[in-house]
Amino acid sequence: MTTTDLPPVRIAHPRMHFAPRNNWMNDPNGLVFHDGLYHLYFQCNPKGVSHANLSWGHATSTDLTRWTEHAPAILWDDDAQIFSGSVVVDHGNTSGFGTALEPALVALYTAAAPGHQAQALAYSTDGGYVWTKYEGNPVLDRGTSDFRDPKVFRYDDGADGYWVMVAVEAEDRQVLFHRSDDLKTWTFLSAYGPAGPVGGVWECPDMFPLAVDGDEADVRWVLLISLNPGGIAGGSGTHYVVGDFDGTVFRPTAPHPTPGRELMNDRSQSREELEAFGWIDFGPDCYAGVTFDGLARHERTLIAWMDNWDYAGRIPADDADGHRSAMTLPRRLSLTRDQSGVERLRQEPIIEFGAGESIDLGSLAGSVQLAEGVSGAARIRLTAEFGDAQGVELRIDSASDEERVVIRQDRASGRVELERPGSGMPSGFPGSPSMRLDQSGAIEWDLWIDALNERVSSVELFTQNGERVLTALIPSASPRTYSVAAVGGALRGARADVAEWEC
């Protein structure tokens, strides 16, 4: 293992989420679990806080909670910037870069030059720290300007296995499937799309199998597609489709209609239309999420970029360490089938967090304070039945009323809404992202709040057993006071668990 003189990233902000020590960061890349370590590569600018000089940063963790940042892994050069991609462990040494006993890590990424994008390869024989660009690059070139973001996995149907690459023609809103025996020579298999949400370019695809409700005899494939703009909360968002994959073609269980040319051009889809599609997150700040290679099927884990292209370059950075952006919490994925037969993706945060204080609120009418003087990260779990209340609100307050954040659930509409102010934030930031619940008769929230830097914090809300998730950046408010209020009546059987993060 190559040593590093960088201390663990966890020393400063953020407390629960990965963020680089300094400079710009966006999409997670090359997530891979190898030899007991989680490797997180990510889009970065080694020279500043702007979106430029794109290279792959690198961090490792043994527990997905405490991260050590290393020197950048793959650097841009005069020929191309290093856009998004993936890493696999070549256990069979199909590429010839390693050995059967000491397999190489192989990265497939987009080499991006003005007016041209193609897929390139780099490999590492020291466990993922030092990378060599393949002299035969590019390994897959369609001669187009928006062909990018390869996610590679090993497909094995019980016969001879091979590598599959999932990439996008971004402007065409198409996912393209290719196969290879050696990771260096690729042949076309099939295409998916355009279909479903098409209000922006398609980016950062991923595809993987999951057992429905844990039944290994009932396995479906999940295709993730990030798009920008056109997300459910405006700007960036990530859509998912469930279906079957036979090693050549992906077939959705419930196909979406093909959009007409007019829709592809004017990019106008209503909120009602968008809510007919699957989304991994209903907030504005969860984008380009991809999963780790090297984990068992039941351990499928996703990390996403916690930001939005509508304002990412204008969000205040911390003056002390000059970094922009953070990643979401790592989320364990599973698949369930509801009573109507629809397959739904579930997400569960998988970092360790103390139990904290359990507060029995009983029959709650009016407002009660849950915690005050909270300066760092916190987790709040709230459960209740509506009783005769018409709604419930959780309020996050600071010394300034302009920074109050309110999360509410309305009984009649079955919607959960987050109201975030724009205090100190750029235009396009204020708003009220929301999501509609299927189970609207009760409150079941799992809320994670973190301080990313001196001026920006984050909220990740998981509800309906993780089938509905809402992630949003908020103006930082420290110290914070948390309170919960019943609206229009009393809640019944209310309980809150409040815990503060301890590093």
Side-chain angles (χ1 to χ4, degrees), residues 149-472:
D149 306 341
K151 181 65 190 286
V152 174
F153 60 89
R154 187 75 179 170
Y155 180 79
D156 187 353
D157 63 355
D160 293 331
Y162 49 89
W163 300 102
V164 174
M165 177 193 293
V166 187
V168 294
E169 277 289 357
E171 288 286 351
D172 294 341
R173 277 78 117 196
Q174 277 197 319
V175 177
L176 304 182
F177 299 89
H178 292 77
R179 66 164 286 172
S180 175
D181 294 320
D182 61 4
L183 294 166
K184 296 178 285 191
T185 302
W186 296 87
T187 57
F188 178 74
L189 291 172
S190 63
Y192 169 79
V198 293
V201 299
W202 283 8
E203 296 186 311
C204 302
D206 194 358
M207 194 171 75
F208 45 84
L210 288 176
V212 181
D213 293 315
D215 182 359
E216 289 295 333
D218 186 8
V219 174
R220 295 291 182 269
W221 286 77
V222 180
L223 175 62
L224 304 184
I225 303 168
S226 291
L227 71 155
N228 176 66
I232 186 71
S236 310
T238 302
H239 165 55
Y240 76 87
V241 190
V242 180
D244 294 305
F245 180 64
D246 62 4
T248 301
V249 178
F250 173 75
R251 295 180 177 87
T253 303
H256 299 308
T258 301
R261 183 180 299 275
E262 182 179 351
L263 179 58
M264 291 281 285
N265 290 334
D266 68 19
R267 303 183 174 191
S268 59
Q269 287 176 298
S270 68
R271 174 74 190 212
E272 183 178 1
E273 289 174 303
L274 292 176
E275 287 198 344
F277 308 132
W279 300 91
I280 68 166
D281 200 292
F282 288 80
D285 297 305
C286 179
Y287 191 64
V290 288
T291 62
F292 281 88
D293 187 70
L295 294 174
R297 179 181 293 165
H298 67 278
E299 297 177 321
R300 179 66 58 175
T301 302
L302 175 140
I303 292 178
W305 180 44
M306 196 159 55
D307 219 321
N308 191 304
W309 281 117
D310 274 1
Y311 41 71
R314 297 176 291 132
I315 286 284
D318 190 323
D319 292 334
D321 53 23
H323 78 262
R324 287 192 189 276
S325 297
M327 296 299 181
T328 64
L329 293 173
R331 304 172 179 186
R332 181 66 44 80
L333 304 182
S334 59
L335 202 59
T336 188
R337 185 175 288 116
D338 67 17
Q339 293 181 347
S340 62
V342 176
E343 292 128 347
R344 297 187 183 277
L345 196 64
R346 282 181 170 168
Q347 303 171 70
E348 177 188 4
I350 55 170
I351 69 171
E352 295 293 329
F353 208 109
E357 179 186 6
S358 184
I359 306 171
D360 185 358
L361 301 172
S363 180
L364 175 64
S367 177
V368 63
Q369 184 174 288
L370 301 177
E372 65 175 337
V374 181
S375 59
R379 181 186 186 184
I380 298 175
R381 284 177 284 189
L382 178 66
T383 57
E385 295 180 3
F386 272 106
D388 62 358
Q390 299 307 303
V392 61
E393 291 186 349
L394 189 139
R395 299 162 184 167
I396 305 174
D397 286 300
S398 66
S400 170
D401 290 340
E402 293 180 351
E403 292 185 338
R404 169 182 276 189
V405 175
V406 180
I407 303 170
R408 59 176 60 91
Q409 182 172 329
D410 181 73
R411 181 177 189 171
S413 67
R415 299 196 78 88
V416 174
E417 177 185 62
L418 183 146
E419 180 182 315
R420 68 174 180 181
S423 177
M425 294 296 175
S427 60
F429 185 88
S432 299
S434 69
M435 54 187 174
R436 184 173 55 210
L437 305 184
D438 298 325
Q439 305 165 5
S440 57
I443 299 102
E444 187 180 292
W445 295 359
D446 187 7
L447 181 66
W448 302 68
I449 306 104
D450 200 3
L452 304 183
N453 58 47
E454 295 300 324
R455 289 181 280 176
V456 182
S457 295
S458 64
V459 169
E460 287 166 273
L461 173 62
F462 298 79
T463 188
Q464 198 171 302
N465 296 315
E467 293 175 29
R468 296 289 189 273
V469 184
L470 193 155
T471 301

Side-chain angles (χ1 to χ4, degrees), residues 10 15-16 65-66 351-353 377-378 499-503:
R10 188 57 56 202
R15 289 172 170 80
M16 294 190 298
T65 302
R66 294 164 180 84
I351 69 171
E352 295 293 329
F353 208 109
E500 294 185 47
W501 176 263
E502 295 183 5
C503 295

